Amino acid sequence: MTVIPLTDDWTVTAITGPAPEGVRGRGIPAVVPGTVHLDLLRAGLIDEPFDGANEDAQQWIGDVDWRFETTFRWTPDGSERQQLVAEGLDTLATVVLNGVEIGRTENQHRSYRFDIGAALVDGENALRIDIAAPVPAAHARSEEHGARPHVNHHPYNALRKMASSFGWDWGIDVAGAGIWKPIRVESWSTARIASVRPLVDVDGTTGVLDAHVEIERGDGVEAAALRVEVEIAGTTADVEVPAGRSAARVRVDVADAELWWPRGHGAQPLYDVAVRLPGLDEWHGRVGFRTVHVDVAPDEQGSPFAVHVNGRLIQIRGANWIPDHAFTTEVGRDRYARRIADATEANMNLLRVWGGGIYESDDFYDLCDEQGVLVWQDFLLACAAYAEEEWLAREIEAEAREAITRLSPHPSLVIWNGNNENIVGYADWGWRHRLEGRTWGEGYYFRLFPRLVAELDGTRFYSPGSPYSFSRFLSPNLDTYGTVHIWDVWNTKDYAAYREWTPRFVAEFGFQGPPAWTTLTEAVHDAPLEPHGHEMLVHQKAHEGNVKLERGYGPHLPAPATIDDWHWATQLNQAAAVRFGIAHFRSLAPYNTGTIVWQLNDDWPVISWAAVDFAERRKPLWYALKAVYEPRLVTVQPRDGALAAVLLDDADEPWSGDLVVRRLSLAGEVRARVRLAAEVAARGATTVPLPEEVASGGAGEVLVVEAPGFARAVHDFAEVVDQPLDARPLEVEAERADGTVRVRVRARAYARDVFLLADRGHPAAVVDSGLVTLLPGEEHVFTVSGVPDDVAPDVFADALVLRHAGDLRS
């Protein structure tokens, strides 16, 4: 096979639509893979899209038809077939080679392969790809085929383009155009490997590889027999593909195979697989041997959603994943690796790839394979009703087939999910009336997708949607059945209302907070800076988002007097809300089998639910998640009108010992103390009622529970707003040591949720720990890296850098 990559010498030109003078008709250098927004930015024709209020000023880009052009040299080499392979065109493209139209596309989420032999010439060839304006196209298709409900302001559900590129309640509206994945010319003869599905099973101690191989044959060789070889772990098996056939199935057994486990449960051995058409083509990938089962069988309490890998129940501690950049071509393996490290270092074991984004690149899934991070993958239908007529159904089936096939090697992928919130939208959000009998996606979720998963990869679990109660006769969002999304708390209630829910599995819930100070102020330039400034609200996409932030901290924190305090209070409240919710949900184990917080990451600098902001700075929420997702956790929870310590032991070893429980004054005086014997099984939970003498306290007291091998639990009897906290409880020293700055804090009085906003000391600074609560007399050292030598250590002791809950009272 001969391959000509088409990466160089591209231009992009605005050919129709409201392009401004200086852009219309002008050939602009283009990067492929890439997107037109970034080409315009590199050419100096637009300002930074994420800055200030530029989003609105650049809406014209999505209303313009764009032409991408390049030339390449080709010389005949005797190959029988010549094909143009476009792995990703965004989105409505007409492909023209040497003046001959060779194909059209209408789906960002799939690849295309066009035969181009009749249009190629020996020597210089001219390739043109015209991409229609996505925003008017989406509106036109919606009008033509019947408007259907959707969130946000564009009918993204009428076009197979990344939904969030049209804007979301955390996302910028940058619907554009581009050649967003590699494009190339391939020349080959006789046959090539079209696809491989290397499905795995485990039979006792034997790993079973069942390789399904699809073959594309060249012109004139349909009658020839072929041989397919599959090699794994030093063992090779082969089969003959008879004349006229184009598919093969090869089984290879691997004796004494090592099992692939989720992180925290074992190792992640991966086996290289080679599939060959000898002398013609090869495919290489990796697999991990493991089994997957999700238990949703009805029980006396409803029905669970319990993920089992290799027969073992996995308590899920996860996060939802959105595209990590609004311009997805800017995310490479290194950025993926840093985000997945954000997950694993916060004790997560699952990422849910949300349905309004993309099927991520193989780098994402490869890294999850290596790190033992389970993947729940949505099909790409989110928060909308979707037509089931042929014009859209053919594309949805094609993309689903390709995605299932491409992702089949990855052991980390354990769940396919039919959609995000579309079933609950139809059932509970009033869509049925608005649709007036039009199709809405039911056929995809209950017929097409389960059929495709069964046909192409029966080794994974399929869920029709999220949330879902696993019965067509129940509301989709019942907390006693299956998966739930909990959004009433963020939208209308105090975060204490998380305790009103007793969910079997939480697939979405979250609370907002702003990004790091530097991330925010590098993009928002209101003068003065204030929560309801024009540019601030450009970077707050949730409906009445900043109003909800204020309502959210009201019962918990003093009203902030400055923008600095507003920023700290809303970040702190976000962390406290999610910490509160997860501690409650986890305390319900084994009835509750998992939580997936919304969300891990951001795709631009924005006020959002993310734990890590777009500039890759970890918010206080991230540190809260790390603590509350500890495999071994002690949490104090109300039980039967009193308090109890709930011990969760998500480890292979049981635990037994004594709990030391103290009720202390904020000055450190011991008011009561008990020692309680306890034990908890491996991968188990136990509840220890606390005697009234320690469990009844006032606003000026705290409850402390300590158990060897567990992080200490501190329970506050009052909210910060009602707690007589010392506004200045810390003695602080900052000094340089071993290339870092070490900030030592010592508590003179109780210090709640001490946090170092490292970027306010220096934009490049990163701190190792956060949300540390200190009892009187205790010390903690924050280690800050990334600080240039010319920055004085004392900046990290500044009152706007080193914060704690009590300083909001000053």
Side-chain angles (χ1 to χ4, degrees):
M1 180 181 291
T2 303
V3 177
I4 304 173
L6 303 179
T7 56
D8 300 329
D9 302 322
W10 285 90
T11 61
V12 61
T13 305
I15 52 176
T16 61
E21 289 295 330
V23 174
R24 187 184 310 115
R26 172 181 172 182
I28 301 161
V31 171
V32 172
T35 186
V36 66
H37 282 78
L38 298 181
D39 295 330
L40 293 167
L41 180 63
R42 278 184 290 265
L45 297 172
I46 61 171
D47 294 327
E48 164 57 54
F50 299 163
D51 190 57
N54 289 339
E55 176 188 16
D56 184 60
Q58 295 173 7
Q59 288 301 290
W60 60 269
I61 297 172
D63 293 332
V64 168
D65 297 333
W66 297 95
R67 173 168 292 168
F68 290 82
E69 294 177 286
T70 192
T71 60
F72 64 92
R73 294 194 63 81
W74 175 80
T75 301
D77 63 359
S79 297
E80 297 165 343
R81 298 285 291 275
Q82 290 79 37
Q83 294 178 323
L84 179 71
V85 182
E87 292 187 21
L89 299 177
D90 181 12
T91 293
L92 298 173
T94 301
V95 184
V96 178
L97 179 63
N98 297 324
V100 178
E101 181 179 316
I102 60 170
R104 297 192 176 206
T105 77
E106 51 184 83
N107 193 332
Q108 179 184 2
H109 304 305
R110 57 172 289 202
S111 64
Y112 293 84
R113 182 177 285 267
F114 304 109
D115 283 304
I116 58 173
L120 274 172
V121 298
D122 186 356
E124 196 84 358
N125 288 263
L127 178 63
R128 187 180 87 225
I129 300 177
D130 291 340
I131 300 182
V135 174
H139 284 275
R141 287 180 171 219
S142 178
E143 229 176 90
E144 177 186 357
H145 298 289
R148 288 168 168 82
H150 59 85
V151 298
N152 305 314
H153 53 293
H154 295 305
Y156 59 84
N157 49 337
L159 193 64
R160 296 310 298 152
K161 177 178 170 63
M162 185 174 79
S164 62
S165 70
F166 290 94
W168 215 259
D169 59 3
W170 39 258
I172 185 173
D173 182 354
V174 285
I179 303 169
W180 77 289
K181 285 188 174 183
I183 186 169
R184 61 189 176 274
V185 173
E186 290 184 359
S187 301
W188 54 276
S189 296
T190 307
R192 70 174 191 90
I193 296 172
S195 68
V196 177
R197 289 179 286 118
L199 308 184
V200 300
D201 199 358
V202 179
D203 183 5
T205 61
T206 300
V208 179
L209 174 67
D210 189 11
H212 299 251
V213 184
E214 297 291 330
I215 298 165
E216 183 180 7
R217 292 177 175 269
D219 294 337
V221 297
E222 286 81 357
L226 298 169
R227 186 163 57 90
V228 173
E229 294 180 350
V230 177
E231 180 181 359
I232 183 173
T235 300
T236 301
D238 64 2
V239 298
E240 183 177 280
V241 184
R245 295 286 298 275
S246 60
R249 184 172 179 178
V250 184
R251 171 174 169 148
V252 187
D253 291 346
V254 177
D256 300 318
E258 297 181 79
L259 295 182
W260 184 97
W261 289 96
R263 62 184 304 104
H265 289 263
Q268 293 80 43
L270 297 168
Y271 289 79
D272 292 327
V273 178
V275 178
R276 302 183 182 94
L277 289 174
L280 298 174
D281 199 6
E282 293 190 7
W283 177 96
H284 293 272
R286 297 185 305 182
V287 298
F289 291 106
R290 54 96 184 97
T291 62
V292 176
H293 169 67
V294 180
D295 180 13
V296 296
D299 59 24
E300 61 185 12
Q301 297 161 311
S303 63
F305 187 86
V307 179
H308 294 77
V309 176
N310 300 326
R312 177 185 293 175
L313 174 65
I314 310 298
Q315 284 284 340
I316 299 301
R317 305 185 301 274
N320 284 269
W321 171 278
I322 66 170
D324 202 47
H325 201 295
F327 303 123
T328 54
T329 57
E330 297 301 284
V331 182
R333 186 179 178 89
D334 288 347
R335 188 172 174 105
Y336 277 128
R338 295 193 297 274
R339 282 305 72 68
I340 291 170
D342 285 329
T344 58
E345 291 174 21
N347 295 307
M348 296 178 187
N349 59 15
L350 180 142
L351 292 172
R352 175 192 169 205
V353 182
W354 168 76
I358 60 173
Y359 301 110
E360 299 288 343
S361 83
D362 285 323
D363 287 331
F364 172 86
Y365 305 96
D366 285 343
L367 288 161
C368 289
D369 293 343
E370 295 164 10
Q371 296 299 318
V373 176
L374 299 175
V375 176
W376 158 330
Q377 175 69 57
D378 283 9
F379 288 105
L380 302 184
L381 302 100
C383 301
Y386 289 83
E388 297 176 45
E389 284 68 39
E390 196 269 343
W391 67 274
L392 191 64
R394 66 172 181 258
E395 288 299 329
I396 287 176
E397 177 168 355
E399 75 181 57
R401 284 185 173 277
E402 181 172 331
I404 295 168
T405 298
R406 176 171 73 88
L407 300 183
S408 64
H410 297 285
S412 57
L413 177 56
V414 293
I415 294 168
W416 280 102
N417 178 56
N419 71 87
N420 178 74
E421 297 187 340
N422 298 348
I423 298 173
V424 74
Y426 183 81
D428 295 348
W429 297 355
W431 290 4
R432 184 177 180 181
H433 171 73
R434 292 167 58 193
L435 282 162
E436 299 179 329
R438 288 189 292 275
T439 56
W440 59 277
E442 178 183 21
Y444 301 136
Y445 316 137
F446 295 105
R447 293 187 293 277
L448 176 64
F449 292 157
R451 174 172 62 81
L452 294 181
V453 172
E455 173 193 342
L456 299 173
D457 185 1
T459 70
R460 272 115 176 156
F461 178 78
Y462 172 76
S463 169
S466 184
Y468 191 59
S469 294
F470 292 91
S471 170
R472 299 286 290 273
F473 304 101
L474 294 171
S475 172
N477 202 37
L478 296 177
D479 63 354
T480 51
Y481 291 84
T483 57
V484 296
H485 292 191
I486 300 176
W487 286 115
D488 61 336
V489 173
W490 159 251
N491 283 309
T492 63
K493 296 182 178 180
D494 175 58
Y495 69 68
Y498 282 129
R499 284 196 179 133
E500 296 175 2
W501 291 77
T502 53
R504 307 302 295 268
F505 191 103
V506 189
E508 270 190 32
F509 83 106
F511 212 90
Q512 267 202 351
W517 180 261
T518 303
T519 307
L520 182 68
T521 56
E522 285 180 345
V524 174
H525 314 292
D526 296 320
L529 191 65
E530 57 100 3
H532 300 282
H534 173 62
E535 291 188 8
M536 183 76 82
L537 294 181
V538 170
H539 293 258
Q540 165 57 281
K541 294 300 183 183
H543 175 64
E544 295 185 341
N546 284 2
V547 173
K548 293 174 183 177
L549 287 177
E550 293 169 11
R551 189 203 68 239
Y553 64 64
H556 305 280
L557 301 173
T562 66
I563 188 63
D564 303 280
D565 283 355
W566 176 87
H567 177 263
W568 165 234
T570 50
Q571 280 204 329
L572 176 61
N573 200 58
Q574 177 188 33
V578 174
R579 178 173 60 192
F580 181 96
I582 292 177
H584 165 63
F585 302 144
R586 287 193 70 190
S587 78
L588 302 176
Y591 169 90
N592 175 278
T593 54
T595 60
I596 309 178
V597 68
W598 186 272
Q599 63 209 66
L600 178 67
N601 56 327
D602 272 333
D603 76 342
W604 76 306
V606 64
I607 302 168
S608 83
W609 296 267
V612 181
D613 74 21
F614 175 71
E616 308 188 55
R617 296 183 173 104
R618 293 171 172 177
K619 295 158 67 170
L621 171 58
W622 184 90
Y623 296 89
L625 288 171
K626 180 180 181 181
V628 78
Y629 271 163
E630 282 283 354
R632 279 185 162 172
L633 178 73
V634 179
T635 176
V636 176
Q637 296 290 328
R639 292 291 187 268
D640 301 322
L643 293 180
V646 181
L647 280 71
L648 298 149
D649 182 14
D650 194 9
D652 287 330
E653 302 78 26
W655 180 92
S656 62
D658 287 344
L659 302 182
V660 176
V661 187
R662 294 176 291 160
R663 177 165 55 87
L664 305 176
S665 73
L666 299 189
E669 176 190 355
V670 178
R671 300 279 173 82
R673 183 180 186 276
V674 298
R675 183 181 292 270
L676 304 170
E679 58 183 34
V680 57
R683 308 292 175 184
T686 194
T687 299
V688 181
L690 298 178
E692 186 176 357
E693 62 191 278
V694 290
S696 296
E701 296 177 315
V702 295
L703 178 67
V704 180
V705 182
E706 295 173 301
F710 291 76
R712 179 177 70 191
V714 178
H715 173 76
D716 293 278
F717 288 111
E719 301 294 340
V720 173
V721 69
D722 299 317
Q723 214 170 12
L725 295 170
D726 189 327
R728 295 177 178 79
L730 299 174
E731 298 172 355
V732 186
E733 296 176 357
E735 62 182 6
R736 286 197 169 273
D738 301 324
T740 66
V741 171
R742 295 183 183 174
V743 182
R744 182 182 303 275
V745 295
R746 183 179 186 278
R748 295 189 299 260
Y750 179 63
R752 182 172 175 177
D753 285 328
V754 184
F755 193 81
L756 198 149
L757 300 166
D759 66 289
R760 296 206 68 164
H762 188 275
V766 177
V767 67
D768 68 329
S769 53
L771 293 184
V772 177
T773 291
L774 299 175
L775 302 178
E778 291 183 337
E779 293 186 353
H780 180 78
V781 176
F782 295 97
T783 301
V784 186
S785 57
V787 183
D789 292 341
D790 60 351
V791 175
D794 286 348
V795 301
F796 294 98
D798 185 86
L800 292 180
V801 177
L802 185 65
R803 305 293 309 244
H804 56 89
D807 67 16
L808 290 167
R809 299 181 59 87
S810 57

